[in-house]
């Protein structure tokens, strides 16, 4: 692994990746709580917040909007994705190459791998091509490691999430994005299993400020180097406010209550 490959999408060894591939992965329903966020421009504006170290989007959104933000936003280009209209065994279509990501100006590539799916073998082979392409173009590699599929009964268990973190190391990711495994202890184990691959926590469904920031603080305490978050930022009425609080929790390791007070005073 190249130790510096993720530097472009990190600050002081920490990452706050704003994820915005939901229009593909979940569909327009994810924009309903805050309709302005259906407009990618709103997310690119949010990504200029000092807390954000990269914006993760799909190719079409990058082509249309990134040229105007190339100086202000670090681009993490997702190379695969599936819509929620798909009802089969978990799989993700590769819709962009590492070469084209480099042409678009990406700092890193993102790739989903569903370990445990009946399609795991082909996904791992596709990841190989993407990972090696990223290495050729000096781009970081972020794996969305979400074990799920017919054979997995409990894909949210700490053991499965820990295994997902390890897949990131084994397959050559610089950062591996995993769901929060439910406790700081379990997150610590995932971090241990990932070794030099940095672990970032996935945001998940919307929850209240305190609960969400507590999960983030626990993950950071356990050795995670940040988070990749979508809904818990853009579905809020005031996304900038939670970014202020996240900046304090992730980069200054401030306690969530204090971070919220900082965010309030910034208003
Ligand atoms: P959230 O913070 O909104 O959970 O976003 C993280 C993310 O990984 C997105 O990049 C992706 O679109 C989504 O979650 C996939 O979620 P799932 O596959 O669990 O429905």
């Amino acid at each position: 692994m190249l130790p510096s490959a993720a530097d472009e999408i990190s600050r002081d060894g920490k990452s706050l990746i704003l994820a915005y591939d939901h229009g593909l992965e979940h569909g327009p329903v994810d924009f309903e709580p805050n309709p302005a966020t259906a407009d990618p421009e709103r997310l690119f504006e949010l990504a200029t917040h000092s807390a954000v170290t990269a914006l993760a989007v799909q190719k079409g959104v990058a082509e249309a909007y990134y040229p105007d933000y190339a100086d202000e936003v670090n681009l993490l280009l997702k190379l695969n994705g599936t819509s929620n209209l798909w009802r089969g065994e978990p799989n993700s279509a590769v819709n962009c190459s590492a070469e084209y990501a480099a042409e678009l100006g990406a700092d890193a590539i993102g790739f989903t791998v569903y370990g445990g799916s009946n399609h795991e073998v082909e996904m791992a082979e596709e990841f190989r091509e993407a990972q090696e392409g990223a290495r050729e173009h000096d781009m970081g590699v972020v794996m969305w490691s979400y074990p799920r599929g017919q054979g997995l009964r409990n894909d949210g268990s700490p053991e499965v999430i820990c295994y997902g973190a390890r897949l990131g190391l084994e397959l050559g990711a610089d950062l591996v994005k995993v769901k929060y495994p439910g406790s700081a202890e379990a997150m610590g184990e995932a971090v241990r299993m990932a070794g030099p691959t940095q672990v970032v926590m996935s945001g998940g469904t919307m929850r209240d400020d305190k609960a969400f920031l507590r999960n983030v603080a626990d993950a950071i305490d356990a050795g995670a180097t940040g988070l990749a978050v979508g809904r818990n930022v853009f579905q809020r009425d005031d996304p900038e406010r939670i970014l202020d609080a996240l900046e304090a929790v992730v980069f200054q390791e401030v306690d969530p209550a204090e971070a919220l007070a900082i965010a309030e005073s910034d208003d």
Side-chain angles (χ1 to χ4, degrees), residues 180 182-185 187-188 201 211-224 249 256:
Y180 185 69
S183 71
E185 191 191 1
M187 188 51 116
M201 177 191 128
F212 172 56
L213 292 173
R214 183 76 266 154
N215 290 162
V216 176
D218 286 350
I220 300 287
D221 281 351
V249 171

Side-chain angles (χ1 to χ4, degrees), residues 25 29 44 94 137 181 232 240 253:
E25 295 285 341
V29 67
F44 275 88
V94 181
H137 294 279
N232 269 286
E240 277 86 358
E253 301 197 12

